Amino acid sequence: MTRIVMPVKNLKEITDLLNTVTTEVKLKLTGKGMEVRAVDPAHVAMINIDAPKESFVEYGVDNEEELAVDVERLKNVIKVSRDSDQITITKEKDKLLFEIGTINKKISLLDGNTVSTPKIPQLSSESYVVLSRTDLERGLKAAEDVSDAIRLTLTKESFRARSMSETEESELSLPADLLKEVVCAGTVKSSYPLEYLIRFIKSITTAEEIKMSFKDDYPLIIDFRFGVNRDISGTFLLAPRMEQ
Amino acid sequence: MDVNRMGVDIGDIVERKSTSLKDHSGSVMALDAYNIIYQFLSSIRQPDGTPLMDNEGNVTSHLSGVFYRTTSMLENGIKPIYVFDGKPSELKNRTIEERRRIKEKSRLELEAAIEEGDTERIRSLSARVNYITPAMVQEVKELLTYMGLPHVQAPSEGEAQASEMSARGLADGVISQDFDCLLFGARKLYRNFAFTGRRKLPGRSIYVNVIPEEIDLEATLARHQLTRDQLIDIGMMVGTDFNGGLKRVGPKSALALIKKYGSLEAVLAAKNVTIDNYELIRDLFRNPPYVEVKDLQFIPPDLDKLMDFLCEKHSFSAQRVQPYADSILKSSKSRTQSSLDSF
């Protein structure tokens, strides 16, 4: 039997994250924990979550299995909970039973054949910056009404996130002493779609710092840890905007 | 020869799978323009069977189909290149003449049905009496230009040009209903992309659910351990736009014959029959007339001209068209957006 118990806040954060790119996912439960991979239909953004079994209050998974679920239905289940609640999830044939305090809810599992698990591209970049999530969120919010893209520039002295339109401009500029860590030889710069970044950053409320790796006209790789005990690791991949 | 069907009927032996538009984001697709326009003219009809028309009485079903369906492709990140027919091959004359004769017969029957007020028959016959006029072709090209999309004028068969573009890697696949594309070398053939959902079977009051499908040439050849030449031979035995095929030979029996005898020549000798011009037809499938394609540009749409063309000139509802026009502009902007698949 498959039965797991976790802080509802963790499940909420996971569903919010997944919901930034997709509406249907497979939750893969293995002996080590839960893995989730999701990509948006245009293959612009991808989420990769690894929740080790230690991040669960209880983790009862006898056999490895994949649970295909509708993310919106999951969100609806969580709506009735409070942040301090724990949620118990039990697989019952083709349904999932959720127990949150005095409330029980069941949702149907989706046909696993109709939900594909994306292949993670092999990406790497030597240049990266580690910064506060709230600093980046402020910079993205400032850019939100300026343009639909943001240009990131990294040197060993600073990190900048700049957005421009014909009439307006917005820039977040963080010198090295305001960054947790920066590794960069020379200058790297690349542009990314702002909408995806904003949806992503708003969904990871418990992450304190994030590591952003990128290079010229290359996907952005954001590594972060989140969850009540920050013991869930996540990676967000975002394809670049190419200059015309 | 069944001249009403389009192209060779080898659907029973191809390697196919269901797919959807969203699975092909970032793909460049060559569209067999005449094949698609013909589908729109047949399917986009008013309840009484007459095509959509503007205030001047000009048919607009083709414009409606191309505009809305192409926008849907753009929204799914597909880059469509419409490929238009040029001068048909002389080998196709017999088919063209036969189709013309049948259409004329249907037209006369339609006139009689209208006189009798037989609405079901009017609807049925109306879908059969379609003519793609030079004016319609020009209108579609004009529409595509305002949408910021390139098109290609083939020297001869559009599906041949589109298939060759696929074979040369200029397009990821061909959107057409016509299996001939596989004989012409299209690496992937996408059917039911221009028209999905419920579709009425011709001449019957039965509706079927139409799902987009992907047909893979390499996988088809590998499944049956065939060469492309042998697939062409199978096509000719079944019947193509250029020949009538052998009597009582369908795709499965043609496949069995090729597996047994190895080539069309050996099959014809064994059965003591012939197919007119089979060597010329085979050569046409192998080396179709082709125009070099370069400088295909996807540019931002001209929304003012697009709205003027559809709404002022052809009486489309501005309220309905505007959100689609906005969507085309949005898609144009997002074309600078790369996909993770590219890395």
Side-chain angles (χ1 to χ4, degrees):
Chain A
M1 189 173 94
T2 296
R3 183 174 179 276
I4 54 177
V5 184
M6 65 198 296
V8 82
K9 208 170 174 188
N10 284 4
L11 184 62
K12 180 176 186 312
E13 208 162 1
I14 288 171
T15 51
D16 284 348
L17 245 177
L18 294 171
N19 208 209
T20 62
V21 296
T22 192
T23 55
E24 296 178 347
V25 289
K26 272 186 190 163
L27 309 174
K28 185 176 179 184
L29 301 174
T30 70
K32 292 180 180 172
M34 183 171 79
E35 296 171 14
V36 197
R37 319 264 178 270
V39 68
D40 76 306
H43 291 204
V44 171
M46 191 179 284
I47 303 267
N48 181 11
I49 298 169
D50 282 303
K53 65 179 181 184
E54 293 77 18
S55 67
F56 293 82
V57 180
E58 286 176 35
Y59 190 79
V61 176
D62 298 333
N63 299 306
E64 180 173 314
E65 63 180 319
E66 291 185 320
L67 308 173
V69 292
D70 182 321
V71 180
E72 281 298 326
R73 304 296 303 155
L74 269 184
K75 286 186 78 170
N76 284 342
V77 169
I78 297 166
K79 264 185 196 166
V80 299
S81 67
R82 289 167 299 217
D83 269 2
S84 56
D85 283 338
Q86 287 188 352
I87 187 164
T88 302
I89 308 170
T90 310
K91 188 190 172 199
E92 293 184 345
K93 290 184 181 169
D94 57 351
K95 286 192 165 46
L96 278 187
L97 165 66
F98 294 84
E99 297 167 73
I100 311 162
T102 53
I103 293 175
N104 289 358
K105 283 195 84 162
K106 278 185 192 178
I107 63 169
S108 292
L109 287 166
L110 303 174
D111 175 359
N113 295 322
T114 63
V115 183
S116 57
T117 302
K119 195 173 159 223
I120 302 171
Q122 292 301 309
L123 301 172
S124 67
S125 167
E126 298 76 35
S127 305
Y128 67 86
V129 57
V130 180
L131 74 162
S132 146
R133 176 186 60 81
T134 49
D135 279 349
L136 180 66
E137 186 169 1
R138 282 192 309 120
L140 297 179
K141 278 185 179 167
E144 193 171 11
D145 57 356
V146 175
S147 170
D148 60 357
I150 193 157
R151 188 161 184 78
L152 307 183
T153 306
L154 184 65
T155 65
K156 65 179 178 184
E157 286 87 24
S158 70
F159 168 74
R160 283 182 291 144
R162 191 179 190 205
S163 203
M164 279 177 66
S165 70
E166 284 178 9
T167 54
E168 294 180 50
E169 198 172 326
S170 161
E171 184 174 62
L172 163 75
S173 183
L174 296 171
D177 59 337
L178 292 181
L179 300 169
K180 313 271 183 194
E181 190 183 353
V182 58
V183 173
C184 185
T187 302
V188 292
K189 47 185 183 292
S190 190
S191 296
Y192 300 96
L194 195 50
E195 187 186 348
Y196 284 92
L197 264 178
I198 287 177
R199 285 209 309 253
F200 159 72
I201 207 80
K202 282 181 178 170
S203 71
I204 50 164
T205 52
T206 59
E208 283 183 344
E209 54 186 46
I210 59 173
K211 177 184 175 187
M212 303 172 76
S213 311
F214 63 102
K215 53 189 175 186
D216 291 351
D217 296 330
Y218 193 76
L220 174 64
I221 306 156
I222 303 182
D223 294 299
F224 53 100
R225 294 185 74 78
F226 68 103
V228 175
N229 299 313
R230 288 179 199 86
D231 49 7
I232 304 174
S233 59
T235 305
F236 178 73
L237 305 176
L238 185 61
R241 281 277 170 92
M242 308 305 266
E243 302 296 333
Q244 275 191 318
Chain B
M1 172 170 21
D2 177 4
V3 291
N4 280 321
R5 66 148 167 73
M6 284 188 180
V8 63
D9 185 11
I10 53 170
D12 284 350
I13 60 165
V14 297
E15 192 68 22
R16 60 170 87 189
K17 64 177 182 185
S18 298
T19 185
S20 66
L21 296 189
K22 68 181 169 63
D23 293 333
H24 301 281
S25 178
S27 297
V28 176
M29 296 288 194
L31 283 80
D32 179 359
Y34 271 55
N35 184 285
I36 287 164
I37 293 170
Y38 189 84
Q39 287 177 69
F40 290 143
L41 288 173
S42 300
S43 327
I44 302 176
R45 300 257 158 185
Q46 299 178 69
D48 65 356
T50 56
L52 303 186
M53 284 184 240
D54 61 22
N55 291 342
E56 304 292 318
N58 301 306
V59 173
T60 56
S61 295
H62 56 305
L63 296 176
S64 175
V66 169
F67 176 66
Y68 291 115
R69 198 58 190 164
T70 309
T71 302
S72 174
M73 289 181 199
L74 293 171
E75 285 171 344
N76 282 282
I78 292 172
K79 295 178 180 176
I81 302 170
Y82 278 80
V83 183
F84 290 87
D85 279 17
K87 191 172 181 288
S89 162
E90 286 179 7
L91 292 166
K92 205 174 182 178
N93 283 349
R94 191 174 141 212
T95 307
I96 293 170
E97 188 47 48
E98 191 65 8
R99 281 182 186 159
R100 191 175 291 142
R101 192 186 62 71
I102 288 173
K103 264 186 201 168
E104 184 55 22
K105 182 169 170 277
S106 297
R107 195 183 63 76
L108 293 172
E109 286 174 7
L110 176 61
E111 281 178 6
I114 291 170
E115 213 159 276
E116 290 161 15
D118 184 343
T119 50
E120 182 53 38
R121 191 150 172 74
I122 292 171
R123 200 178 297 125
S124 165
L125 287 163
S126 297
R128 289 188 218 166
V129 186
N130 294 308
Y131 297 93
I132 299 179
T133 65
M136 286 175 182
V137 171
Q138 200 48 46
E139 285 161 358
V140 171
K141 287 179 179 175
E142 195 175 346
L143 173 62
L144 294 172
T145 303
Y146 299 147
M147 292 172 79
L149 303 175
H151 67 263
V152 172
Q153 177 61 58
S156 185
E157 309 293 332
E159 74 264 33
Q161 173 79 23
S163 302
E164 187 67 25
M165 285 167 63
S166 163
R168 295 184 184 207
L170 295 169
D172 294 292
V174 177
I175 295 178
S176 173
Q177 294 303 97
D178 195 337
F179 287 110
D180 276 2
C181 296
L182 298 172
L183 309 190
F184 279 119
R187 290 178 298 154
K188 297 272 175 69
L189 169 64
Y190 295 99
R191 299 181 83 239
N192 306 333
F193 262 51
F195 233 91
T196 54
R198 269 160 57 86
R199 185 192 289 172
K200 188 174 175 295
L201 290 179
R204 299 163 67 185
S205 297
I206 297 174
Y207 287 84
V208 290
N209 241 347
V210 179
I211 298 166
E213 58 180 20
E214 175 182 303
I215 293 132
D216 188 312
L217 175 61
E218 276 303 313
T220 298
L221 298 178
R223 177 175 146 195
H224 302 298
Q225 294 183 306
L226 292 171
T227 63
R228 191 175 134 213
D229 277 354
Q230 287 177 315
L231 187 67
I232 293 171
D233 286 356
I234 288 172
M236 284 193 286
M237 277 190 260
V238 175
T240 70
D241 279 348
F242 312 103
N243 73 289
L246 300 178
K247 274 186 186 170
R248 291 187 294 280
V249 173
K252 286 178 182 167
S253 47
L255 173 63
L257 286 168
I258 278 292
K259 297 302 281 183
K260 183 175 179 186
Y261 294 103
S263 71
L264 178 62
E265 283 83 350
V267 173
L268 296 179
K271 292 177 79 75
N272 196 25
V273 289
T274 189
I275 291 175
D276 291 345
N277 303 317
Y278 75 85
E279 283 170 320
L280 289 174
I281 296 167
R282 185 190 284 148
D283 188 54
L284 182 68
F285 280 121
R286 279 180 183 159
N287 305 298
Y290 176 77
V291 64
E292 289 296 335
V293 177
K294 49 189 173 187
D295 297 333
L296 290 177
Q297 287 193 331
F298 293 84
I299 59 173
D302 187 331
L303 293 193
D304 289 342
K305 285 185 177 168
L306 179 65
M307 294 299 290
D308 186 64
F309 177 74
L310 288 177
C311 306
E312 297 300 321
K313 194 170 175 186
H314 290 295
S315 318
F316 280 56
S317 154
Q319 198 181 359
R320 175 144 191 246
V321 167
Q322 189 64 56
Y324 288 86
D326 293 342
S327 175
I328 294 168
L329 182 63
K330 192 177 168 196
S331 304
S332 154
K333 284 184 178 171
S334 71
R335 278 198 286 272
T336 56
Q337 176 62 56
S338 64
S339 150
L340 288 169
D341 301 336
S342 323
F343 297 91

